[in-house]
Amino acid sequence: VNTDPKRAILEILVDTGPQSRASLAEMLGLSRAALSGLSRDLIETGMLREAEVAYDPNKLGRPSILLELDPGHGYFIGVSIEQQNCPAVLADMHGEIIAEAILPTSSTPPILADIIARGVDDLIRGSGIGREKLRGLSVTLSGFVDHARRICLQSAILGWQGVEFAAMVEERTGFPTSLENNANAAAVGEKLFGRGRDSADFSVVTFGAGIGCAHYIGGQLFRGHAGGAGELAHCTIELDGAPCRCGKRGCLDTIASHHAVIGAAREARLNAESVQEIEALAQIGDASAIRILHRAGSALGLAISHVIQLMNPERVVVASVEGMMGDLFRTVTRQSLDAHVLRSLSAVTEIRFDDVNQNFWARGAAAIAAHRYLTEDKTSDASAEGELSVGKSSA
Ligand SMILES: [Zn+2]
């Protein structure tokens, strides 16, 4: 637990959601009086508020008042760089989206940074939120990211190598900017703003233009030694398989990704331009469509079974953008997963398939900015007196 008690309170609320003063005091080993004083300060500075009353009908006595992060204390911007465009959102402390926009994209970093800076300005203006209430910005992309140095080490989709993109955006917007892999952002979004709050160990598999994967272990996002944890898309699923854009052969990406499925349909001369259309053909019994979805779902299920056996998560959330994964694809994935995972593990792993909308990754990006603001040490502006250093902008 953090030695700064105010920060420790915030960290608990970020991780577990609203809590009563009594339970916070117990978790931190503080007296009720000490906790009351600290929470009073945090309420006065606008970090916390008293939330709904938890009333337990089985217990007599006064219902307890819960403390939660004040959603209006700060706002965050998340931008997700995708193949066709860049969805952007402005969200509050609770992950509620206040404003959203779809920005154009570019694979040239300085041009894209200009686009994002202009888009962020418009987004803030349109939201009616004062610029001084913005606490941070985060950009996410599909690829290998050094989070600490804020560099995109490699992105096959964007064709980037060693791009210091966060600095470019920060320079143009004036907001503290972080850079993160989009699957990691999805996992932080699930933990902070989603339904992952109650779980310390879970994995997220994302299915959109690419396949992503990220893990929470012991309540922390697990990035791995060099930020490469969760590179599921480029795990070899077929020995000596088709060449992959990463330079290897037979990666999951070459069999189960959106572009692989579309490519297989084109090769089979199917009259289908999207996974949805391939699903529709499978529904009416088209043998090629069924075969393609079978192959993709079998590979994805096999890969997820490996995730379960390597990580032993409490839950796996398979998040796919609406329309990207239809009934057959999902059913085959589930069957393949069940067939390949050890019984003893499948019995204790919850598998959830979620349909997500287009701003899922942008919301995850906003969660990254919020998480950084709420929990990470800010060495540049941490004051020597041990005062609460969150809430100050380095800009
Ligand atoms: Zn690959």
Side-chain angles (χ1 to χ4, degrees):
V1 174
N2 202 298
T3 48
D4 175 347
K6 284 182 191 167
R7 191 177 276 280
I9 291 172
L10 295 178
E11 284 184 6
I12 289 174
L13 296 177
V14 167
D15 284 345
T16 63
Q19 295 287 346
S20 68
R21 285 180 176 82
S23 54
L24 282 169
E26 197 181 310
M27 282 186 246
L28 292 167
L30 295 168
S31 71
R32 296 260 190 123
L35 199 283
S36 285
L38 292 166
S39 63
R40 194 185 315 113
D41 290 351
L42 286 166
I43 289 169
E44 270 167 20
T45 54
M47 291 293 290
L48 299 189
R49 70 174 187 187
E50 291 187 333
E52 82 271 31
V53 171
Y55 174 69
D56 185 347
N58 300 317
K59 278 189 190 161
L60 293 171
R62 279 198 313 170
S64 61
I65 295 165
L66 300 181
L67 293 174
E68 67 174 5
L69 298 169
D70 189 331
H73 172 72
Y75 297 85
F76 304 91
I77 291 175
V79 181
S80 159
I81 305 174
E82 290 165 28
Q83 258 174 327
Q84 313 290 337
N85 50 41
C86 296
V89 303
L90 189 155
D92 69 15
M93 288 277 222
H94 289 180
E96 289 298 320
I97 293 172
I98 309 296
E100 55 191 309
I102 306 286
L103 311 179
T105 189
S106 163
S107 56
T108 311
I111 294 177
L112 185 54
D114 284 340
I115 291 172
I116 290 174
R118 273 198 302 275
V120 163
D121 266 347
D122 292 343
L123 194 64
I124 297 170
R125 248 198 309 279
S127 71
I129 303 291
R131 217 179 155 83
E132 74 288 350
K133 286 263 186 185
L134 267 296
R135 310 291 181 198
L137 190 161
S138 182
V139 178
T140 61
L141 51 82
S142 166
F144 218 133
V145 172
D146 184 330
H147 172 78
R149 288 162 61 214
R150 306 190 304 160
I151 297 173
C152 170
L153 297 173
Q154 199 192 359
S155 169
I157 288 179
L158 292 167
W160 289 6
Q161 236 170 351
V163 176
E164 298 184 28
F165 194 65
M168 288 185 198
V169 174
E170 187 168 290
E171 195 183 279
R172 287 163 173 81
T173 61
F175 294 120
T177 302
S178 49
L179 191 67
E180 186 56 272
N181 166 275
N182 57 7
N184 284 350
V188 175
E190 174 76 10
K191 181 73 185 163
L192 223 62
F193 299 157
R195 290 178 284 172
R197 221 163 219 179
D198 53 333
S199 182
D201 305 289
F202 65 91
S203 296
V204 174
V205 175
T206 59
F207 191 85
I211 297 168
C213 178
H215 314 287
Y216 253 80
I217 300 174
Q220 301 286 328
L221 178 68
F222 180 71
R223 292 192 175 90
H225 169 62
E231 273 294 344
L232 190 65
H234 299 285
C235 284
T236 307
I237 287 293
E238 192 179 35
L239 291 173
D240 302 318
C244 181
R245 48 187 166 182
C246 74
K248 302 200 303 163
R249 281 181 171 273
C251 298
L252 180 64
D253 195 72
T254 64
I255 304 169
S257 67
H258 183 249
H259 74 101
V261 171
I262 301 291
R266 204 168 294 144
E267 228 165 80
R269 299 181 186 284
L270 285 185
N271 186 21
E273 286 300 315
S274 68
V275 178
Q276 235 159 349
E277 287 171 5
I278 301 169
E279 277 278 350
L281 289 173
Q283 290 281 329
I284 55 168
D286 185 293
S288 302
I290 292 171
R291 177 180 51 77
I292 290 165
L293 293 176
H294 232 273
R295 189 167 136 79
S298 300
L300 184 60
L302 173 61
I304 297 172
S305 78
H306 292 167
V307 170
I308 293 171
Q309 295 204 186
L310 291 173
M311 308 306 290
N312 182 206
E314 180 185 0
R315 177 186 304 142
V316 177
V317 180
V318 184
S320 60
V321 177
E322 280 161 36
M324 282 277 199
M325 202 185 248
D327 283 345
L328 181 60
F329 198 159
R330 193 168 293 192
T331 303
V332 174
T333 301
R334 182 68 217 235
Q335 283 169 350
S336 164
L337 192 167
D338 288 338
H340 291 109
V341 86
L342 281 171
R343 285 254 171 85
S344 55
L345 280 174
S346 65
V348 294
T349 314
E350 181 198 338
I351 313 287
R352 208 176 77 204
F353 285 87
D354 276 1
D355 259 333
V356 299
N357 61 18
Q358 212 199 359
N359 62 27
F360 174 72
W361 279 275
R363 191 165 174 262
I368 291 282
H371 189 262
R372 179 168 179 242
Y373 172 71
L374 289 165
T375 65
E376 286 181 15
D377 284 325
K378 294 183 180 60
T379 43
S380 58
D381 60 7
S383 64
E385 308 89 69
E387 279 281 329
L388 186 69
S389 60
V390 289
K392 292 175 194 165
S393 157
S394 57

